[in-house]
Amino acid sequence: QLFPSRKGEYPPPAVKNESVSPNLALLETLKANCAFVYPHHDLTQISSKAAASTLASKEHQVRQGITLSRPAWLYDKGLTPAEKGIALHSYMQYADFSAAALHPKQELERLIEQKYLTQEQAAAVDLEKVTLFFQSRLGQRILSSARIEKERRFAVEILASEAGYSVQPEHANTTIILQGALDCTFIENNKLHIVDFKTDRVKNINELITDYQLQLQLYQKAMKQVSSYPVGECWIYSMHKNQAILVLS
């Protein structure tokens, strides 16, 4: 019979009363393991690849917040200020500058026809701001250039510390891959100049320097690596203020 039918048929196991001394060596090992600190913790905070646009100052990220895309049916209620800024930025991205400088509305219609912009986005594009840009000194310099590139993409290797990361002295040579796309570059006097369009609704244009100086510095470092031309000036053009500001030269 494998299983007893009556309670107590098997005797209970004997209990031995023994005093056991603690294993002090094991205790010290456990304490040491619990107190362990990873010696390369600073490296765990560093992304191996980063986009220049995401490395803008924390002040900008906090002030601007996070903009989420909306489903199409919500566009019936009109675009938000942030979405209007994106629409204007998209116009500058896809427009033929020579055509836009002469006939901005016709260029807008072309962008709608070729589906670069939706009707809702096109309606939000302030063509007066476009005209003011091309009439500006910076706009005229770009139009006079024999070589203009927009959305110039790059991927380069830079020091993590150059991207704003804090690293220990022993990790000073740690590098990351920096990638991004420049709004506009143009060649003038055998130098490559960088222009970044911003649609932020700021009260003082100097806020843009605070928010985006690191981004422009990273663009400058990237172009020094990949361009055959020496890098000249780095500009921010505020579409909201209709004003250009020199960030680096």
Side-chain angles (χ1 to χ4, degrees):
Q1 185 176 3
L2 297 176
F3 302 99
S5 59
R6 294 194 301 254
K7 182 178 180 182
E9 189 166 332
Y10 289 143
V15 178
K16 296 181 180 181
N17 295 320
E18 296 181 356
S19 61
V20 180
S21 299
N23 188 331
L24 297 180
L26 176 61
L27 177 61
E28 292 304 316
T29 299
L30 291 174
K31 286 182 178 180
N33 289 344
C34 291
F36 174 77
V37 176
Y38 183 57
H40 308 297
H41 177 72
D42 57 323
L43 298 183
T44 66
Q45 310 303 307
I46 298 174
S47 300
S48 60
K49 181 186 292 185
S53 59
T54 65
L55 295 174
S57 70
K58 292 182 180 178
E59 293 90 337
H60 167 73
Q61 295 173 18
V62 170
R63 182 163 64 249
Q64 298 297 328
I66 299 174
T67 302
L68 301 177
S69 60
R70 297 189 296 166
W73 57 272
L74 276 179
Y75 282 97
D76 294 339
K77 299 182 179 180
L79 301 185
T80 66
E83 290 165 340
K84 291 178 181 179
I86 292 172
L88 180 55
H89 197 282
S90 296
Y91 179 95
M92 299 302 293
Q93 175 182 345
Y94 297 116
D96 179 322
F97 276 5
S98 297
L102 295 175
H103 306 290
K105 186 173 182 180
Q106 291 182 18
E107 184 62 8
L108 180 63
E109 292 171 351
R110 180 186 71 83
L111 296 180
I112 298 171
E113 181 181 352
Q114 297 184 2
K115 302 190 183 303
Y116 288 105
L117 295 174
T118 65
Q119 291 285 354
E120 293 79 6
Q121 289 174 315
V125 173
D126 189 338
L127 294 179
E128 182 179 354
K129 292 187 176 298
V130 174
T131 299
L132 288 173
F133 165 71
F134 288 117
Q135 290 176 347
S136 71
R137 172 60 183 150
L138 180 60
Q140 290 294 306
R141 289 174 61 188
I142 294 174
L143 291 172
S144 299
S145 174
R147 183 172 179 180
I148 304 169
E149 291 188 54
K150 293 190 292 177
E151 288 299 303
R152 180 170 181 169
R153 299 187 180 278
F154 63 85
V156 298
E157 184 179 25
I158 66 170
L159 292 174
S161 58
E162 293 178 324
Y165 289 108
S166 177
V167 296
Q168 298 299 323
E170 60 269 26
H171 300 141
N173 293 326
T174 300
T175 61
I176 66 167
I177 299 299
L178 177 73
Q179 59 185 12
L182 283 71
D183 286 346
C184 177
T185 64
F186 67 99
I187 303 300
E188 180 187 70
N189 297 328
N190 207 39
K191 289 185 178 181
L192 179 138
H193 305 283
I194 298 170
V195 180
D196 197 35
F197 298 110
K198 298 300 182 187
T199 59
D200 306 45
R201 301 176 69 85
V202 295
K203 293 181 179 179
N204 189 319
I205 196 170
N206 289 319
E207 293 177 36
L208 297 178
I209 297 180
T210 301
D211 287 351
Y212 296 109
Q213 186 168 26
L214 174 59
Q215 184 178 348
L216 270 293
Q217 289 172 343
L218 294 174
Y219 286 163
Q220 184 187 61
K221 290 179 185 297
M223 289 300 101
K224 284 182 178 179
Q225 288 194 41
V226 303
S227 176
S228 59
Y229 291 92
V231 178
E233 301 165 346
C234 296
W235 291 85
I236 284 177
Y237 185 85
S238 170
M239 302 299 293
H240 174 62
K241 288 289 189 179
N242 306 312
Q243 185 178 348
I245 184 166
L246 180 63
V247 180
L248 300 167
S249 61

